[in-house]
């Protein structure tokens, strides 16, 4: 069986099982299995698969058919052009979250604050803090997560990109493991409403860590805690950067306003047109 045949066959299989992007999934899985770029699949459609390769591929096709995300099967996901290791202990980084990285960079890149102290709360795979480490050469970076298994993944990712020496990782609840004041605190906290969790796609609901997704009755429990506690960990003039879900902007803006001590609240849409990032400044 050659590359072209197995791709067609797998695509049809995924299509029949109702997957949303059957061809792409088949390509990403096969490319990973053969350890080649996706483009190589088109350059060498005649390449024959060995029996071992076929035997290894079948369980992957089965897992995908059952709804497991491609990223957990390949164990990889790209974020900010960096290849990251992922497993079911961490949320799969979403492209939308790159907006959050862009916002942080807006304030700390090319500024005189290149030695800024920045903390990522709930780092998961480490996507945000590792992207920041790759961009900010002088910043002093820390990241925490309540899950020590997630911290292990984040650390492996930092090591894989030779950035581990730039980031201090801590396992613990929110601000518990850190001390001192930060110039920037960034977080993509869990923000799915309890009731909508069960309406998420089976890929997310059955495979990704619920603890990284569920944010309480209105999804904003973690935003509340981050805004309330965050001000005690921000320098005067420092900024909090939060990812939010669709429809949460007004409430989170209100949380900043009601808390006092914050000013200059600003929102930014993702490329799908959804308000995705809120930032506010700790008053002087
Ligand atoms: N954007 C993610 C999703 O909808 C949720 C991420 C989060 O809760 N922080 O699957």
């Amino acid at each position: 069986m050659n590359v072209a045949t197995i791709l067609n066959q797998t695509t049809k299989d995924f299509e029949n099982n109702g997957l949303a992007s059957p061809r792409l999934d088949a390509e990403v899985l096969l490319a990973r299995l053969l350890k080649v770029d996706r483009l190589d699949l088109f350059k060498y459609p005649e390449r024959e698969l060995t029996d071992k390769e076929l035997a290894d591929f079948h369980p992957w096709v089965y897992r995908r058919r059952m709804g497991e995300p491609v990223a957990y099967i390949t164990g990889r996901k790209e974020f900010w052009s960096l290849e990251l290791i992922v497993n079911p202990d961490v949320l799969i980084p979403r492209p939308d979250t790159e907006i959050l990285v862009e916002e942080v960079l807006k304030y700390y890149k090319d500024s005189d604050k290149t030695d800024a102290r920045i903390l990522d709360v709930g780092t998961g795979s480490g996507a945000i803090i590792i992207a920041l480490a790759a961009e900010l050469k002088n910043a002093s970076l820390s990241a925490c997560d309540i899950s020590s298994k997630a911290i292990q993944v984040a650390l492996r990712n930092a090591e894989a990109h030779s950035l581990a020496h730039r980031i201090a990782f801590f396992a613990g609840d929110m601000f518990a493991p850190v001390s001192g004041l930060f110039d920037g605190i960034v977080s993509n906290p869990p923000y799915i409403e309890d009731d909508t969790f069960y309406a998420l796609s089976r890929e997310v609901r059955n495979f990704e860590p619920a603890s990284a997704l569920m944010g309480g009755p209105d999804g904003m429990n973690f935003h509340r805690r981050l805004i309330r506690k965050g001000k005690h960990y921000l320098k005067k003039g420092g900024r909090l950067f939060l990812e939010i879900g669709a429809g949460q902007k007004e409430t989170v803006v209100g949380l900043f306003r009601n808390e006092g001590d914050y000013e200059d609240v600003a929102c930014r849409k993702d490329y799908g047109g959804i308000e995705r990032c809120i930032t506010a400044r700790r008053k002087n």
Side-chain angles (χ1 to χ4, degrees):
M1 182 126 34
N2 68 26
V3 162
T5 315
I6 190 114
L7 273 183
N8 287 335
Q9 196 176 297
T10 308
T11 303
K12 198 148 262 143
D13 181 322
F14 288 168
E15 224 167 55
N16 293 339
N17 283 280
L19 299 190
S21 47
R23 180 86 200 176
L24 178 66
D25 291 0
E27 288 171 8
V28 173
L29 288 173
L30 189 60
R32 176 72 201 163
L33 183 95
L34 301 178
K35 300 202 167 41
V36 299
D37 287 337
R38 248 175 80 212
L39 272 186
D40 291 328
L41 301 176
F42 305 102
K43 281 196 225 153
Y44 310 106
E46 314 277 295
R47 180 208 195 276
E48 290 289 326
L49 272 77
T50 64
D51 289 346
K52 162 112 180 46
E53 285 165 349
L54 275 176
D56 289 345
F57 195 52
H58 282 136
W60 284 17
V61 172
Y62 176 78
R63 286 165 65 184
R64 182 65 197 118
R65 201 191 289 144
M66 300 310 282
E68 187 169 345
V70 171
Y72 287 153
I73 302 173
T74 61
R76 302 284 183 286
K77 180 71 183 182
E78 191 169 300
F79 181 83
W80 201 262
S81 300
L82 301 164
E83 189 181 81
L84 299 179
I85 300 160
V86 292
N87 67 27
D89 293 325
V90 298
L91 192 79
I92 298 165
R94 311 287 202 261
D96 296 333
T97 302
E98 293 183 351
I99 296 288
L100 206 58
V101 174
E102 283 177 15
E103 280 302 295
V104 176
L105 290 178
K106 221 160 85 181
Y107 289 95
Y108 303 107
K109 199 161 188 182
D110 304 326
S111 79
D112 55 345
K113 297 226 69 170
T114 45
D115 60 346
R117 273 197 95 206
I118 298 175
L119 170 69
D120 175 14
V121 179
T123 195
S125 64
I128 295 171
I129 203 73
I130 291 167
L132 291 174
E135 299 291 337
L136 300 170
K137 301 298 175 209
N138 297 304
S140 153
L141 304 167
S142 306
C144 59
D145 201 292
I146 196 164
S147 158
S148 53
K149 286 184 172 168
I151 288 294
Q152 284 171 29
V153 175
L155 191 53
R156 277 172 65 200
N157 278 321
E159 280 164 357
H161 292 285
S162 307
L163 292 167
H165 64 291
R166 299 277 327 280
I167 308 165
F169 287 103
F170 304 98
D173 185 23
M174 217 166 263
F175 299 106
V178 298
S179 59
L181 298 176
F182 295 87
D183 295 280
I185 297 174
V186 57
S187 182
N188 172 17
Y191 56 67
I192 306 292
E193 300 90 341
D194 288 348
D195 286 349
T196 36
F197 184 76
Y198 301 95
L200 295 174
S201 71
R202 63 176 179 155
E203 271 87 351
V204 178
R205 180 170 31 100
N206 293 346
F207 294 92
E208 297 202 76
S211 59
L213 288 160
M214 298 187 72
D218 69 354
M220 288 170 272
N221 278 359
F222 290 91
H223 299 89
R224 283 189 184 84
R225 287 179 63 200
L226 284 161
I227 289 168
R228 186 158 306 151
K229 293 188 169 198
K231 64 182 187 187
H232 302 297
Y233 293 87
L234 280 172
K235 293 181 191 169
K236 290 182 171 157
R239 280 191 170 268
L240 184 53
F241 301 85
L242 300 177
E243 180 166 323
I244 56 168
Q248 295 180 334
K249 173 183 160 179
E250 297 309 325
T251 307
V252 178
V253 168
L255 291 172
F256 275 118
R257 298 249 155 86
N258 293 340
E259 191 61 37
D261 299 314
Y262 291 101
E263 60 189 4
D264 195 20
V265 182
C267 303
R268 161 110 187 258
K269 289 186 176 148
D270 65 23
Y271 296 108
I274 293 172
E275 297 285 2
R276 188 59 71 189
C277 171
I278 297 201
T279 162
R281 187 172 179 276
R282 170 86 163 91
K283 280 185 188 163
N284 280 323

